[in-house]
Amino acid sequence: QVQLVESGGGLVQAGGSLRLSCAASGRTFSSNVMGWFRQAPGKEREFVAAISGSGGSTYYSDSVKGRFTISRDSAKNTVYLQMNSLKPEDTAVYYCAAKSRATSIYAGRGYDYWGQGTQVTVSS
């Protein structure tokens, strides 16, 4: 089992920044691909970013590429999502997820463990 706890969400004005954190505990953290997903009201959950177990590979959706940065600190068992130049359309609940199976990085169904989510609201 892997337990994930997100933090760092909040209310920010458009153009501002937030950094989300996801603290992991339980089974070996470093072997898991870690991802961030988000879900806005009335919309389906969507992929935001992911990072390989080693941290050497990162993946982003087109909508956040160049604005968001995913990173991980294995010593702290924590993955981060630095979000810059935030837009109102980034408003959503953001979820951290972990996977160890050889499933798609971009599909939420491929992830085995999920956090409870943290709200990000960007005002215009």
Side-chain angles (χ1 to χ4, degrees), residues 33-55:
V33 169
M34 302 297 296
W36 286 96
F37 290 77
R38 67 187 182 186
Q39 187 166 22
K43 295 187 177 181
E44 293 187 353
R45 180 179 60 194
E46 65 172 348
F47 170 81
V48 175
I51 188 166
S52 63
S54 67

Side-chain angles (χ1 to χ4, degrees), residues 55-71:
S57 297
T58 56
Y59 311 84
Y60 298 95
S61 68
D62 288 342
S63 62
V64 307
K65 196 173 297 182
R67 299 188 298 122
F68 291 11
T69 302
I70 189 171
S71 62

Side-chain angles (χ1 to χ4, degrees), residues 1-6 22 24-29 31-37 45 95-101 108-116:
Q1 287 284 347
V2 174
Q3 292 80 42
L4 304 172
V5 179
E6 302 99 333
C22 174
S25 60
R27 291 183 63 184
T28 304
F29 172 74
S31 64
N32 291 301
V33 169
M34 302 297 296
W36 286 96
F37 290 77
R45 180 179 60 194
Y95 297 92
C96 174
K99 77 177 193 77
S100 57
R101 295 174 288 148
R109 63 180 178 273
Y111 288 73
D112 305 295
Y113 306 101
W114 292 83
Q116 82 289 350

